Amino acid sequence: MMRSTAQEVLDMLLQSPSLRRSDFVDRVFTDEPILMRGSQMASYIPPRMQEMREMALSPEGRGMIGAQLFTKQALFMEDYEDDVEYHGSFERYFPTYVDMNDRQLRGYFSWRSAIRRGEETPKAPLSFAFVHLYELIGSIGIEHEPIGRSREGLTRAEQGFLAIEHFWKTHEDTYPELQRYVTRWLRDYAVWHGLDASYLAPYVNTAFDEALVSLTESLDSWMAATPQKKPRKQDARAMALAGADRPEEERFFAALDPLSTYRPRVSRLYRDRPETLRHVTCSVIAELALYYEKHRKSGLVEDLFGSSQAFPYVMFMNAVFWTGSPHEDTIYEISPCNRYGCAKGRWYHEGFLTTARRSSKLGAILRLIDQRLRVAIGYPHPLTKKDAPKYLDKIVAEQIEARLAWEADREARAVRVDLSQLAGIRAAANATCDSLLIDEEREDEAMSTAAVAPTLRIKTLEAMAPEVPAGATAPETEKPSAQTGEFVGEGPTAGHSSAERAIAPAEASSAETTPAPYGLTAIELELLQSLLDGTPWEVPAGTSLDILVDSINEKLFDLLGDTALEFDGLVSGMPAIIADYAEDVREALSYE
């Protein structure tokens, strides 16, 4: 039955036009050996990998330390690729190629090949990730690694740093255990290769270092400018001066914020009394530093953050790293209080012993200052009181007392201007100026007044002239000259009538000696009169109405304490006297 079925299948195949009977009939088939079973293919070792294995077995390899042998093998396999997936496990401390069996070794290089191609890979053993990082730390295979950006203009060391960073950032969710190691290795890599400090910015707390340096320098500056002898409490003036603002306060106070667990800049009291809290805080810290110098073996900064000193440093700790020759002597400074150095192949780190963490001890001091100051000024939002050493309580109390004394002294000495007295001061000043004028200046001023106000003089003369009897000839009248403002006759003879000659000198004298109220000019008087009377008024040619209104408002401000004129927004474009002040202006200008 099977034979018949096979024959039928053969017949069906032969019906295909692309197949010929001769391809099957009369052909002799013989048995051939199976080269490799499926289970054997995964454990097959390519010749190059086998050659790498033999390095460890050679006499030269046996004499190498583990890191040196790993580096030699990694360089030999730098560009090797494979394509055998591995789904097993592999866990070792400080793993290297020697620790892998054949299947693990092929699985690692296959996984690395996919990483280099930027492909998504299933989660591999954590030890695979460490081996790959060891390669990158040794700058092995950098050219084949993705770095997350263009390589143009980058040195090989910069590409190596970016390759380590890119691999970690890409797989930090898969291997969260790497963070505690990679951040230090990145810092060490930048220091070892002398990269620009900007590469270190995400991995070094430079703000903490800068604040620590700023605090130290501010303390030195403050104490150098502080008198050694403290003022007595009986000397109020000296106490007040002790609480005065200082130029270095802002920098001093800003340095405390990133160093302390209690942040005074976000305090509610700082929003309401910033200068007070800032000065008291700085002065207390400075006085506390002086206290430490006199009564403690270590200074305040050392007590809070440890001492700055140099101590041996192991580069690439917890990594398999080897270099063929010692590093040249160098100094790599991250900040004045954080630097690395190498001398005769030995590395050291110079800085503060404590880590870059906010000081809870400093935070307790700053909170105490805030709490005590709130009590002293009666602030409506107090903080819970906590006990403090007696010496610290005393320092805080003294500095609060000195500051509040200075603020009270400043308040007492503040100069205040009473605007209600300006009118009397201005009138007295005008009277003094008038008394200092000589006769010629008075005449010039009178002529100037007469020139700008001829209409008012004409009205005065007409009102005071005698009545002319019916049928009598009216005397010739005079009109002011358009050029000089002097009166000239209209008849055949120039001159005044007998009545006018008697009246004119008295009128002229009165006009020349009586100053206009509040220094108003004739044009300003005319404008005010027309506004009070509600009569039309035309702006003289060459005169700005806006400037005229501003001038009147300025001169009448002493009288009203407010603006007298405002534009009402009507089509006429003329200003108006504010209704509430119309009677005051009328009375002041003696308008009935």
Side-chain angles (χ1 to χ4, degrees):
M1 181 69 179
M2 292 181 60
R3 183 178 182 85
S4 174
T5 302
Q7 185 63 45
E8 292 177 358
V9 172
L10 179 61
D11 293 340
M12 291 176 62
L13 291 174
L14 292 177
Q15 292 177 4
S16 174
S18 61
L19 296 177
R20 295 174 299 175
R21 182 178 182 85
S22 59
D23 293 335
F24 299 94
V25 180
D26 302 329
R27 184 174 178 181
V28 179
F29 293 91
T30 59
D31 294 335
E32 296 181 0
I34 299 176
L35 298 178
M36 186 178 300
R37 297 181 182 276
S39 60
Q40 295 174 327
M41 292 183 64
S43 60
Y44 166 72
I45 298 298
R48 187 170 178 181
M49 192 175 295
Q50 184 63 40
E51 188 176 351
M52 182 201 73
R53 287 281 199 198
E54 293 173 356
M55 290 182 181
L57 303 176
S58 66
E60 181 184 2
R62 292 175 183 272
M64 294 181 181
I65 61 175
Q68 183 179 4
L69 176 61
F70 171 77
T71 302
K72 183 177 180 179
Q73 289 178 322
L75 288 171
F76 181 75
M77 303 293 287
E78 184 173 14
D79 57 353
Y80 179 76
E81 294 185 355
D82 211 329
D83 58 354
V84 177
E85 292 186 2
Y86 177 72
H87 301 287
S89 62
F90 173 61
E91 296 180 0
R92 292 288 189 281
Y93 286 107
F94 303 100
T96 62
Y97 306 135
V98 176
D99 300 316
M100 301 181 191
N101 59 34
D102 294 343
R103 295 183 66 184
Q104 291 168 343
L105 200 59
R106 295 201 65 184
Y108 168 74
F109 285 111
S110 300
W111 172 80
R112 190 185 74 173
S113 300
I115 293 293
R116 289 179 172 180
R117 291 192 298 267
E119 299 175 358
E120 292 188 6
T121 59
K123 183 177 180 180
L126 178 62
S127 294
F128 279 12
F130 276 108
V131 172
H132 188 49
L133 284 170
Y134 298 161
E135 294 172 346
L136 298 180
I137 289 172
S139 298
I140 297 171
I142 297 300
E143 295 80 1
H144 307 286
E145 292 291 325
I147 62 174
R149 55 172 290 187
S150 172
R151 299 176 184 269
E152 185 177 356
L154 298 177
T155 64
R156 194 168 189 273
E158 290 172 331
Q159 294 179 45
F161 182 95
L162 295 174
I164 298 172
E165 185 180 53
H166 181 75
F167 173 76
W168 169 49
K169 291 292 185 181
T170 305
H171 298 85
E172 60 181 339
D173 294 335
T174 307
Y175 307 109
E177 302 89 344
L178 295 178
Q179 180 176 1
R180 58 179 296 197
Y181 303 100
V182 177
T183 51
R184 171 169 176 151
W185 293 342
L186 284 169
R187 183 174 66 245
D188 292 352
Y189 192 94
V191 172
W192 181 278
H193 294 281
L195 299 183
D196 188 87
S198 61
Y199 284 95
L200 286 175
Y203 310 109
V204 177
N205 192 348
T206 55
F208 187 91
D209 294 342
E210 292 169 0
L212 202 53
V213 173
S214 180
L215 175 62
T216 304
E217 294 176 351
S218 297
L219 277 172
D220 294 340
S221 175
W222 187 287
M223 290 188 290
T226 301
Q228 296 297 321
K229 188 177 181 181
K230 294 184 179 180
R232 297 181 178 180
K233 291 187 177 181
Q234 294 80 0
D235 190 349
R237 181 59 179 161
M239 285 288 293
L241 291 176
D245 291 328
R246 297 197 183 189
E248 63 268 26
E249 279 185 17
E250 183 57 38
R251 184 190 181 202
F252 193 164
F253 190 73
L256 297 172
D257 195 73
L259 300 176
S260 167
T261 54
Y262 184 83
R263 303 178 62 189
R265 279 183 173 270
V266 299
S267 167
R268 189 167 191 167
L269 179 60
Y270 182 74
R271 295 199 300 268
D272 296 337
R273 297 280 292 272
E275 296 84 2
T276 304
L277 180 60
R278 182 183 63 200
H279 177 86
V280 173
T281 300
C282 294
S283 59
V284 168
I285 298 300
E287 287 297 320
L288 193 58
L290 288 172
Y291 178 87
Y292 268 73
E293 285 188 358
K294 294 178 181 179
H295 302 91
R296 302 290 177 88
K297 292 182 179 180
S298 60
L300 176 63
V301 175
E302 287 77 11
D303 182 62
L304 295 174
F305 304 103
S307 59
S308 178
Q309 56 181 294
F311 48 92
Y313 185 80
V314 179
M315 297 294 286
F316 303 107
M317 180 179 285
N318 297 319
V320 177
F321 176 76
W322 179 82
T323 177
S325 58
H327 197 286
E328 67 275 8
D329 293 355
T330 185
I331 293 178
Y332 188 97
E333 182 174 292
I334 299 176
S335 73
C337 64
N338 189 355
R339 68 182 67 186
Y340 293 83
C342 182
K344 297 181 180 180
R346 296 182 179 272
W347 283 90
Y348 64 89
H349 178 225
E350 182 180 349
F352 286 83
L353 291 177
T354 57
T355 55
R357 296 176 182 171
R358 295 177 183 269
S359 170
S360 59
K361 189 172 183 178
L362 177 60
I365 296 172
L366 298 184
R367 185 189 182 280
L368 176 71
I369 297 170
D370 194 344
Q371 188 271 326
R372 298 292 197 269
L373 182 57
R374 294 187 187 205
V375 173
I377 65 176
Y379 193 65
H381 305 284
L383 295 176
T384 304
K385 183 178 180 179
K386 294 186 178 181
D387 294 334
K390 291 183 178 180
Y391 72 89
L392 181 56
D393 253 336
K394 180 181 178 182
I395 291 174
V396 173
E398 288 177 348
Q399 298 309 314
I400 290 176
E401 182 182 2
R403 176 62 184 189
L404 296 183
W406 178 80
E407 290 184 354
D409 183 73
R410 180 182 60 174
E411 183 73 13
R413 294 172 178 271
V415 178
R416 293 178 175 81
V417 179
D418 187 356
L419 296 179
S420 64
Q421 302 297 322
L422 288 179
I425 296 172
R426 180 173 293 177
N430 291 336
T432 302
C433 291
D434 290 341
S435 65
L436 297 176
L437 294 176
I438 61 176
D439 293 340
E440 289 81 357
E441 292 173 335
R442 295 178 188 276
E443 292 176 0
D444 292 342
E445 185 177 355
M447 292 178 63
S448 175
T449 303
V452 297
T455 306
L456 292 178
R457 296 184 62 186
I458 292 172
K459 290 182 178 179
T460 303
L461 288 174
E462 291 176 348
M464 298 180 65
E467 296 183 2
V468 181
T473 303
E476 296 178 353
T477 59
E478 298 176 343
K479 293 184 179 179
S481 169
Q483 288 78 16
T484 65
E486 295 294 333
F487 285 87
V488 295
E490 288 186 333
T493 60
H496 297 287
S497 64
S498 58
E500 291 170 339
R501 282 195 296 268
I503 295 172
E507 185 278 333
S509 175
S510 175
E512 292 172 0
T513 58
T514 303
Y518 298 97
L520 295 166
T521 65
I523 296 178
E524 294 169 351
L525 286 171
E526 290 180 10
L527 174 57
L528 287 173
Q529 180 184 2
S530 68
L531 294 176
L532 288 169
D533 297 341
T535 58
W537 189 80
E538 293 184 2
V539 183
T543 302
S544 170
L545 183 59
D546 291 335
I547 295 177
L548 194 62
V549 170
D550 289 341
S551 176
I552 293 174
N553 284 333
E554 181 180 356
K555 293 174 181 179
L556 295 183
F557 185 83
D558 296 338
L559 169 67
L560 307 174
D562 197 357
T563 299
L565 301 183
E566 65 178 2
F567 288 92
D568 57 12
L570 298 178
V571 180
S572 63
M574 291 297 292
I577 298 179
I578 297 176
D580 293 342
Y581 305 133
E583 293 303 320
D584 294 330
V585 173
R586 187 185 303 275
E587 183 179 353
L589 302 184
S590 298
Y591 288 123
E592 296 292 337

